[in-house]
Amino acid sequence: AGALCLLAAVVGRAGAWHSFAERGIAPTIEGTSIGNEHIDFPDKMRDLSRSSLTHKCTIALTSYKKAVKVCSAYKAEPCGGTCTSRCLACADSLNSAMRDAFDMVGSSCAEVESLLNGVLSAELSALSSGRTDLLLSDAAFDMNEFNVLKDYCGDMLAEWSPNCLSQDYCNPLAAPHGPTGADSAVSLRPRREECANFYLRQDSAEYSFLTWGLLRSYTNDRLGCSGGLKALTESEEYKSWACVYQPDCTVYAQDDMACFKYSKMRGEFHFWGWNSNLGLHPPLFQIRYSLCSDRVLQWFESTAGNLIPINGTDMVTPIAGSLRIREKTPENVPGAVKYDFDSLVPGLGPDGCGEFELKENTDYWVDASAGDGYYTWSGWWRSALPQPGEGKQAMALTFTPKEPLDRLTCTRGEAPDDWMLIFSLDWCDAEHIDVDMHLVGEDG
């Protein structure tokens, strides 16, 4: 699957595709798209935002209006015993409507119920063998009213395509052709146990679903990406994916992204999974690092402060160094190895100045060696925050040389007893200080 984290990912032909909640063309399949003027969408997308008192109810009403238009347009299509492409467009749109109706159970939807009754009596009735049941339009939408809508769905598919009905498109919790396979959920958002507060923001409004317009906004802010699925084994329905970052969704990773497949049959983004599991795009908030600046290693000696030699300096013999970086576990101990370069050359290129990526402002356990002449650098190291205008940053470390013992300057008196040395070290954990202490005995 190819990925683009640029605006180009959502322009061109794909730019004409919009989910059901936006102005534009509501796509179904090739040759079956219905122009937006035929579908009575809310005048403003803001009507579908979370701030609306009838948020879930308005989404369900919009889905039913779309289903009526789609099914009316293809009612003359001879479906017979198979769920053909055009029949599938009606069946899919009904499945979305049932999903959104189930989602509004328990919500106060009296005004929307009245509008739904208008749809039932004027249009759904004609598509379902004259069924005349209506909703109660009372304080809350309940399961009895949901079952009324489910009966309309069953009647419509039974009359039009028994095969579509047998595949249970009236089930609000699953679809015969979902984003993760047969009978998988076609949800507009992650499950509550994975992200209890999923929302996407545009201007001052918040939405519980993804649209092409929202994706464009997140892509411009470098908080979203999209790509194609043509290289994968996919049904005709899903050919595009998109991932967006939502800071409240951190069950699997702090910089995780919620990923969706776009259904061109339904004109909706369906939740697919998390980028940390799917691996569709590199994690967000990465900083490019190198051990060098201007092709010169930024490792220093602790005594004179000189640069430690490596290829590209005026030193003749390059160091035989190594670098291993490990991630921090929730228990605050070194965990999985992120990078392991047994030798800086050629591990980091012919001059040891190759680039690698790390999460910004994150603790890593680093084991670094500058060769046999220096003590190993081991300890916690924190990556920096991004700096404006800087493409990459240097990972500068300071090493203590192994000084040879000058025996001529060492004197020792008679010691009747064993020697004893006591150290007392105090420091503040909050200061993020590492202490390196090297004890060199008389034997070197």
Side-chain angles (χ1 to χ4, degrees), residues 38-340:
H38 298 301
I39 299 178
D40 185 18
F41 287 133
D43 291 335
K44 298 179 181 178
M45 184 179 170
R46 194 176 299 270
D47 294 340
L48 298 176
S49 70
R50 297 201 314 170
S51 59
S52 170
L53 294 177
T54 58
H55 164 63
K56 294 179 179 179
C57 314
T58 307
I59 290 177
L61 177 62
T62 303
S63 288
Y64 267 95
K65 288 183 176 181
K66 176 184 174 183
V68 165
K69 299 302 181 182
V70 171
C71 293
S72 297
Y74 309 137
K75 193 175 189 305
E77 181 75 17
C79 294
T82 61
C83 208
T84 62
S85 296
R86 288 172 177 257
C87 297
L88 185 59
C90 173
D92 271 336
S93 63
L94 283 171
N95 182 254
S96 290
M98 294 306 302
R99 172 202 65 203
D100 297 334
F102 186 78
D103 197 35
M104 76 172 180
V105 170
S107 300
S108 297
C109 299
E111 181 180 354
V112 170
E113 285 178 300
S114 296
L115 296 174
L116 267 173
N117 278 336
V119 175
L120 297 181
S121 59
E123 297 167 289
L124 276 182
S125 179
L127 294 170
S128 57
S129 302
R131 178 177 287 273
T132 58
D133 299 337
L134 296 177
L135 307 179
L136 295 179
S137 300
D138 53 2
F141 182 80
D142 57 28
M143 282 300 300
N144 290 330
E145 293 171 298
F146 169 79
N147 288 329
V148 169
L149 296 178
K150 191 172 183 179
D151 289 340
Y152 272 96
C153 176
D155 282 359
M156 291 172 65
L157 291 180
E159 179 180 341
W160 195 20
S161 177
N163 188 62
C164 284
L165 177 63
S166 68
Q167 295 185 43
D168 201 11
Y169 280 92
C170 298
N171 181 354
L173 302 179
H177 310 287
T180 58
D183 298 318
S184 64
V186 286
S187 175
L188 298 178
R189 63 192 70 88
R191 296 180 300 171
R192 290 189 59 84
E193 54 266 33
E194 294 182 329
C195 185
N197 190 36
F198 178 78
Y199 68 91
L200 299 172
R201 181 178 287 117
Q202 190 173 44
D203 299 327
S204 60
E206 296 176 351
Y207 305 93
S208 60
F209 47 82
L210 179 64
T211 69
W212 284 110
L214 286 168
L215 175 62
R216 184 178 297 111
S217 176
Y218 273 69
T219 301
N220 288 342
D221 292 335
R222 302 187 68 181
L223 297 175
C225 294
S226 63
L229 291 168
K230 292 183 178 180
L232 304 179
T233 303
E234 291 289 334
S235 66
E236 179 64 21
E237 183 167 355
Y238 296 104
K239 291 301 180 183
S240 305
W241 62 264
C243 296
V244 289
Y245 172 67
Q246 210 286 336
D248 287 345
C249 301
T250 57
V251 173
Y252 301 106
Q254 288 298 315
D255 58 350
D256 215 346
M257 291 191 287
C259 297
F260 301 78
K261 287 182 180 180
Y262 181 73
S263 168
K264 70 174 187 176
M265 189 80 71
R266 302 178 187 229
E268 302 170 349
F269 279 101
H270 296 155
F271 179 70
W272 181 11
W274 300 97
N275 186 56
S276 57
N277 297 327
L278 298 171
L280 294 170
H281 196 272
L284 297 176
F285 316 124
Q286 302 286 296
I287 293 182
R288 291 187 296 130
Y289 270 96
S290 172
L291 303 185
C292 306
S293 178
D294 296 328
R295 314 308 297 181
V296 177
L297 181 72
Q298 298 300 293
W299 284 5
F300 299 85
E301 293 183 347
S302 62
T303 51
N306 296 326
L307 288 169
I308 296 176
I310 193 174
N311 287 356
T313 71
D314 56 359
M315 309 299 289
V316 176
T317 305
I319 66 169
S322 62
L323 175 67
R324 182 169 62 177
I325 301 176
R326 299 172 66 181
E327 296 180 332
K328 188 177 184 179
T329 69
E331 294 74 29
N332 296 325
V333 298
V337 175
K338 178 75 172 177
Y339 296 106
D340 193 358

